[in-house]
Amino acid sequence: TSLVGSEMCIRDRCLVVNVVRGGPGLGTIQPSQGDYFQAVKGGGHGDYHLIVLAPASVQEMADFVFDGFRLAEKYRNPAMILTDGALGQMMEKVILPEEGSLEKVEKPWATTGKPASRDHNIITSLFIQPEKMEEVNHELQEKYRKIQSEVRFEEIQVKDADIILVAFGLSSRICQKTVDLAREKGIKVGLLRPITLYPFPYQKLKELAEQVNFMMSVEMNAGQMVQDVKLAVEGKVPVYFKGRMGGMIPTPEDVLEEIEAVLNKENVLQD
């Protein structure tokens, strides 16, 4: 994690791929989403952010390699693909871009040797004077505000939904089946899948909170993204959590059972 700390985030760029397995410690080889906090809340020191992409298919895992490098170079900021051990071992059809089809971007900041036509490129993260360090931090915060324009998400049957599931990666694939099972029972469930975990789709969830009865964050951890979902809805609706840990994967039926338990509880309270 020291590789993606604040020292690197000042003006550098790279792509890190984190294929998460059950933990903590040496853990298991089974899939997990327990590194959400590490990825979006920081794994090093300083006021910094990574750009975090969460694929839900092998195709997206391939696509996000190109997107990750593009975003890292555009903002000169480290990017991360946060996926899990199941998607990391899954086999699906993938279409790759044709050789030479990707746009080449000018990189005046690259260390290619100093030609006579430009000044030295001086890259450092060592600023002894706190006034200068604060100035650098303000520059970073302005960059992070610009990165908010890159937010991505997928909406599945949310227009008429009374309940919204929020899930990323493998959990979102599971929740797509839950949506189908719930609607077969007449329960109007939709799914909001964050594709970028940073920047997070706060505004979209805030808008959806105006139309639904409650939301449920479904994750393969002890409850991490659920905190961001709660921040997004600003207390307008209840936010529940369904999770499995240590490499265990929730089933679509597990999630539906949790939804029905909440509905039964609410009906009891209303009665």
Side-chain angles (χ1 to χ4, degrees):
T1 56
S2 61
L3 289 175
V4 290
S6 61
E7 194 169 311
M8 204 172 210
C9 290
I10 288 180
R11 292 184 182 89
D12 216 335
R13 59 273 160 215
C14 68
L15 177 65
V16 179
V17 181
N18 185 353
V19 183
V20 188
R21 59 194 181 103
L26 292 177
T28 73
I29 61 171
Q30 279 72 38
S32 172
Q33 294 178 328
D35 287 5
Y36 179 91
F37 280 159
Q38 180 198 61
V40 305
K41 305 301 183 187
H45 70 289
D47 289 313
Y48 78 94
H49 289 284
L50 307 179
I51 299 169
V52 184
L53 301 166
S57 66
V58 177
Q59 180 67 61
E60 284 190 340
M61 287 184 69
D63 292 342
F64 290 176
V65 171
F66 302 102
D67 289 348
F69 276 116
R70 180 183 61 80
L71 291 169
E73 292 179 346
K74 177 179 179 180
Y75 294 101
R76 295 187 66 184
N77 195 85
M80 175 180 283
I81 295 174
L82 187 69
T83 186
D84 63 79
L87 284 171
Q89 299 177 68
M90 190 179 294
M91 295 180 65
E92 293 179 326
K93 290 183 179 179
V94 172
I95 299 175
L96 297 175
E98 294 183 11
E99 184 177 354
S101 65
L102 298 176
E103 179 185 2
K104 292 185 178 180
V105 180
E106 292 296 322
K107 303 168 186 176
W109 38 261
T111 55
T112 56
K114 180 191 176 303
S117 58
R118 67 163 173 80
D119 294 332
H120 290 281
N121 279 341
I122 301 174
I123 300 175
T124 180
S125 63
L126 178 61
F127 300 97
I128 301 300
Q129 296 300 320
E131 293 84 2
K132 179 58 179 177
M133 189 76 260
E134 184 178 45
E135 181 182 327
V136 171
N137 271 273
H138 280 303
E139 291 176 6
L140 286 174
Q141 296 307 312
E142 178 59 31
K143 177 173 71 172
Y144 300 144
R145 281 188 282 273
K146 292 178 180 177
I147 289 174
Q148 299 307 308
S149 65
E150 303 290 348
V151 66
R152 304 181 192 177
F153 53 84
E154 180 184 10
E155 300 173 81
I156 297 173
Q157 299 198 58
V158 300
K159 289 186 177 180
D160 66 339
D162 298 322
I163 300 162
I164 292 291
L165 298 175
V166 187
F168 69 94
L170 183 63
S171 294
S172 68
R173 293 177 68 146
I174 292 164
C175 286
Q176 287 189 52
K177 180 62 176 178
T178 301
V179 169
D180 294 337
L181 294 175
R183 287 185 174 260
E184 288 174 6
K185 290 189 168 186
I187 307 171
K188 293 182 179 179
V189 176
L191 171 64
L192 192 285
R193 174 173 78 100
I195 297 174
T196 51
L197 301 181
Y198 185 87
F200 192 73
Y202 287 109
Q203 184 58 40
K204 185 60 187 182
L205 284 168
K206 182 179 178 180
E207 293 170 4
L208 289 173
E210 300 290 345
Q211 75 175 57
V212 301
N213 298 325
F214 66 85
M215 295 188 183
M216 181 176 293
S217 185
V218 181
E219 309 172 54
M220 294 188 297
N221 55 42
Q224 297 186 21
M225 183 180 66
V226 64
Q227 295 188 10
D228 283 323
V229 179
K230 288 180 177 179
L231 285 172
V233 305
E234 297 179 342
K236 290 184 174 68
V237 293
V239 177
Y240 298 94
F241 171 72
K242 173 63 179 177
R244 297 296 301 270
M245 294 176 283
M248 295 298 294
I249 304 173
T251 67
E253 291 77 12
D254 290 338
V255 180
L256 179 57
E257 185 177 320
E258 194 74 18
I259 292 170
E260 291 177 323
V262 172
L263 291 172
N264 291 334
K265 180 180 176 182
E266 289 187 345
N267 289 335
V268 169
L269 292 174
Q270 289 174 2
D271 291 342

